[in-house]
């Protein structure tokens, strides 16, 4: 018994020592590696060598509450009465929550580029000049509002155009249009890569000339250079922009915008209702010229996009990409072109086109809550001519639409002398897009010469009237 007492004392003493020991779970690296890993975690992003990744400082990380923490930046520590555990965090993932706001994912350079894109054709407008008068301050303020999540669209301007027909046009403030360009520059390329080549309008390099030339090439292909008969089906969506369902469009956009901050900005732009805060430019009685069913002010809050904003034009293409993909991959229609809400299908069989029309109407009703305008539906042989994007495609020639040409002659003969130079050159540019327009340009040149203007020898432009 006496010999056992010293052994028992040693066991008790060893136990007491073990309860006070501190266990460090991070195995120290050899030699200078430990110092490198510790210093790299605390240095700036430019100074790191890549040995460790930058930790994320999230709320909820456990920190030591007893005495100064021996761990440096990037170390998560927890302490108890008898043990100190130190672990190194090398990666983490932010998970959105109800009150979580994503950090701004854009640079001031991107915002500046959006400003230059916005002012490209509006440099001398009153809104652009007012913004440019204090450019640095205005851009900085807009940047901070976007970064802090305080940005809200401002008051819109509503006016009515009467040519070629009466329409409501809604224009956002200049600073809001900068945001539209910022959003478009970032997310549009990923959608453009998915669009089919036959989708035109508001896409770089795919304007009215591209649409007319592409349709002409498809006509020559299906008719084998006008040697075989074929038919075309031309369709138009009824009241397209005011009948776009924003809820459907939001789901289509969300499929391809995984970045939370950009999705928040998209939602802000998409669901902004300009009718809540706008000013009317022009005579108020001009609103009566717009049919009731074509007015945005008569639609529910979740319906309709304002005509006039870059964002609306881009959103419209995303919306109708569902139609494009269906016609190409489900109907297997090789010869098809769409410009905004006007689209043309070509086929050798009119019965096939009739069946395709029924399938398209079903798709529009089920997927897009849209419908075809029956008064603008045309099914007839191609040789009679296809009126598309202001040009008429007939065998071996493509000319300007007769109504547009007659309006040009009438307008130039009555236009004010101060506007005649710009108006005349705009029509000459429009006529140059048609492959067979020499006779039309000669008639236009005669009107301009009668009013004292000189014309270039190839009938492609006019010069300012000499004083």
């Amino acid at each position: 018994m006496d010999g056992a007492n010293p052994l028992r004392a040693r066991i008790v003493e060893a136990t007491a020592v073990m309860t006070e020991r501190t266990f460090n779970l991070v195995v120290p690296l050899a030699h200078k590696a430990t110092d490198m890993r510790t210093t790299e975690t605390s240095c700036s992003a430019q100074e790191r060598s890549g040995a460790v990744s930058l930790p994320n400082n999230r709320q909820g990380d456990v920190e030591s509450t007893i005495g100064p923490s021996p761990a440096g930046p990037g170390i998560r520590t927890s302490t108890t009465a008898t043990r100190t555990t130190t672990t190194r965090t090398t990666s983490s993932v932010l998970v959105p929550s109800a009150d979580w706001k994503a950090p701004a994912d854009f640079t001031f350079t991107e915002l500046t580029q959006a400003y230059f894109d916005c002012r490209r054709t509006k440099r001398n407008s009153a809104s652009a000049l007012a913004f440019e008068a204090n450019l640095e301050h205005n851009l900085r303020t807009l940047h901070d509002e976007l970064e802090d999540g305080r940005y809200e669209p401002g008051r819109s301007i509503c006016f009515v155009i009467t040519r070629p027909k009466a329409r409501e046009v809604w224009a956002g403030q200049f600073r809001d249009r900068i945001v539209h360009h910022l959003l478009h520059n970032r997310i549009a390329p990923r959608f453009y890569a998915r669009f089919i080549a036959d989708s035109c309008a508001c896409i770089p390099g795919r304007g009215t000339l591209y649409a007319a030339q592409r349709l002409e090439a498809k006509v020559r292909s299906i008719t084998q250079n006008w040697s075989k008969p074929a038919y075309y089906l031309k369709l138009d969506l009824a009241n397209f922009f005011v009948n776009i369902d924003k809820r459907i469009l939001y789901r289509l956009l969300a499929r391809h915008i995984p970045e939370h901050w950009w999705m928040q900005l998209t939602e802000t732009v998409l669901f902004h209702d300009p009718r809540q805060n706008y000013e009317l430019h022009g005579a108020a009685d001009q609103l009566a010229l717009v049919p009731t069913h074509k007015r945005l002010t008569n639609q529910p809050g979740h319906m309709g996009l304002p005509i006039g904003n870059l964002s609306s034009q881009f959103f419209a293409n995303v919306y109708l990409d569902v139609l494009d993909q269906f016609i190409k991959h489900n109907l297997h229609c090789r010869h098809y072109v769409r410009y905004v809400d006007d689209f043309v299908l070509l086929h050798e069989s009119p019965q096939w086109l009739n069946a395709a029309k029924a399938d398209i109407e079903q798709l529009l009703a089920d997927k897009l809550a849209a419908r075809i305008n029956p008064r603008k539906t045309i099914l007839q042989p191609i040789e009679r001519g296809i009126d598309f994007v202001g040009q008429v495609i007939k065998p071996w020639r493509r000319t300007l639409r007769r109504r547009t040409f007659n309006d040009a002659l009438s307008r130039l003969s009555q236009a004010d002398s101060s506007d005649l130079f710009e108006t005349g050159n705009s029509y000459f540019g429009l006529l140059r897009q048609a492959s067979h327009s020499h006779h039309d340009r000669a008639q236009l040149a005669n009107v301009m010469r009668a009013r004292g203007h000189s014309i270039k020898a190839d009938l492609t432009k006019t010069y300012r009237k000499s004083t």
Side-chain angles (χ1 to χ4, degrees):
M1 295 295 294
D2 294 338
N5 289 337
L7 178 60
R8 181 179 181 183
R10 286 195 298 271
I11 293 176
V12 172
E13 181 180 359
T15 302
V17 172
M18 289 180 65
T19 56
E20 296 180 0
R21 290 182 58 188
T22 300
F23 293 88
N24 192 340
L25 300 184
V26 177
V27 180
L29 300 178
H31 305 296
K32 298 181 179 179
T34 305
D35 296 334
M36 178 184 295
R37 292 179 65 88
T38 303
T39 56
E40 284 188 350
T41 307
S42 60
C43 69
S44 62
Q46 291 79 3
E47 298 172 346
R48 295 196 305 271
S49 67
V52 293
S53 60
L54 183 65
N56 292 311
N57 296 326
R58 301 178 300 171
Q59 294 182 356
D61 285 355
V62 181
E63 297 181 354
S64 175
T65 57
I66 303 179
S69 174
I75 304 300
R76 179 181 295 181
T77 61
S78 62
T79 59
T80 61
T82 60
R83 176 174 294 181
T84 300
T85 303
T86 306
T87 58
R88 184 181 301 274
T89 59
T90 58
S91 64
S92 60
V93 178
L94 291 175
V95 180
S97 62
D99 57 349
W100 177 76
K101 184 175 294 184
D105 185 21
F106 76 103
T107 64
F108 191 80
T109 302
E110 289 181 276
L111 185 63
T112 305
Q113 182 60 50
Y115 160 74
F116 285 119
D117 294 339
C118 183
R119 79 167 193 183
R120 180 174 293 126
T121 58
K122 305 292 184 181
R123 183 71 183 272
N124 294 325
S125 64
S127 58
L129 293 174
F131 192 90
E132 191 174 0
N134 198 5
L135 178 60
E136 185 176 354
H137 171 76
N138 291 332
L139 279 179
R140 186 73 244 182
T141 302
L142 181 58
H143 176 274
D144 293 343
E145 290 180 6
L146 289 167
E147 190 175 45
D148 299 340
R150 295 181 289 108
Y151 168 75
E152 292 183 0
R155 173 178 294 184
S156 297
I157 298 173
C158 177
F159 58 94
V160 177
I161 60 172
T162 57
R163 300 176 65 95
K165 54 186 177 181
R167 295 179 184 270
E168 276 183 344
V169 178
W170 301 80
Q173 291 184 356
F174 188 79
R175 69 195 306 269
D176 295 330
R177 298 202 296 270
I178 295 176
V179 175
H180 297 167
H181 279 272
L182 175 69
L183 177 65
H184 176 269
N185 292 346
R186 173 59 73 96
I187 70 173
R190 69 187 67 173
F191 286 93
Y192 290 159
R194 297 180 49 85
F195 291 166
I196 64 174
D198 300 318
S199 173
C200 313
C202 310
I203 301 175
R206 301 190 196 178
T208 56
L209 179 58
Y210 173 89
Q213 291 176 338
R214 187 144 187 104
L215 181 58
E216 184 180 24
K218 290 183 176 295
V219 167
R220 292 171 68 100
S221 173
I222 197 172
T223 61
Q224 295 185 8
N225 276 340
W226 304 101
S227 63
K228 292 177 59 178
Y231 297 83
Y232 78 92
L233 173 66
K234 183 180 179 183
L235 301 173
D236 180 89
L237 298 184
N239 310 321
F240 172 58
F241 275 94
V242 297
N243 283 332
I244 292 179
D245 193 325
K246 296 181 182 180
R247 299 168 299 184
I248 298 176
L249 179 56
Y250 178 81
R251 291 193 293 268
L252 296 175
L253 291 165
R255 293 177 183 176
H256 307 290
I257 307 179
E259 303 91 344
H260 188 76
W261 188 86
W262 288 103
M263 196 62 226
Q264 282 183 328
L265 183 60
T266 301
E267 183 178 355
T268 300
V269 174
L270 174 61
F271 287 100
H272 169 63
D273 191 351
R275 299 169 297 182
Q276 302 298 326
N277 184 17
Y278 73 94
E279 58 180 288
L280 179 64
H281 284 195
D285 56 356
Q286 284 189 331
L287 287 176
L289 300 177
V290 183
T292 304
H293 62 279
K294 290 182 177 290
R295 296 185 59 180
L296 184 63
T297 52
N298 295 331
Q299 299 299 321
H302 67 278
M303 298 291 292
L305 294 179
I307 299 176
N309 290 334
L310 172 66
S311 57
S312 299
Q313 300 168 9
F314 168 68
F315 291 155
N317 277 331
V318 175
Y319 199 71
L320 289 184
D321 183 59
V322 176
L323 173 66
D324 297 338
Q325 302 295 338
F326 175 79
I327 292 177
K328 280 294 185 180
H329 300 296
N330 293 80
L331 298 183
H332 305 288
C333 182
R334 294 178 54 201
H335 306 290
Y336 160 78
V337 178
R338 178 182 64 82
Y339 188 89
V340 193
D341 61 330
D342 295 333
F343 51 102
V344 177
L345 292 81
L346 310 176
H347 203 270
E348 297 87 350
S349 169
Q351 291 78 18
W352 186 94
L353 290 174
N354 263 323
K357 175 177 176 292
D359 292 338
I360 290 173
E361 288 178 329
Q362 188 65 41
L363 169 83
L364 292 174
D366 295 342
K367 301 292 185 180
L368 301 179
R371 60 185 181 87
I372 297 294
N373 188 343
R375 295 191 300 172
K376 295 185 178 180
T377 299
I378 302 175
L379 174 59
Q380 65 179 11
I382 289 177
E383 61 185 12
R384 295 186 182 179
I386 306 176
D387 188 342
F388 188 63
V389 294
Q391 299 189 30
V392 180
I393 301 172
K394 289 185 176 181
W396 305 108
R397 66 188 185 276
R398 178 165 44 84
T399 60
L400 188 67
R401 181 188 295 160
R402 291 299 88 188
R403 186 183 67 186
T404 304
F405 177 68
N406 293 332
D407 287 346
L409 296 180
S410 175
R411 188 176 179 185
L412 289 178
S413 62
Q414 301 174 10
D416 189 81
S417 299
S418 59
D419 300 329
L420 190 59
F421 170 74
E422 291 82 2
T423 305
N425 273 328
S426 66
Y427 279 117
F428 274 117
L430 185 61
L431 283 167
R432 285 202 307 268
Q433 294 185 358
S435 60
H436 290 68
S437 62
H438 180 83
H439 180 69
D440 294 341
R441 284 184 282 121
Q443 289 185 264
L444 200 69
N446 290 336
V447 175
M448 296 297 294
R449 277 197 294 263
R451 300 200 58 179
H453 283 260
S454 300
I455 308 298
K456 193 176 180 180
D458 60 358
L459 305 179
T460 56
K461 64 181 295 186
T462 182
Y463 299 98
R464 291 188 182 276
K465 189 175 181 180
S466 60
T467 57

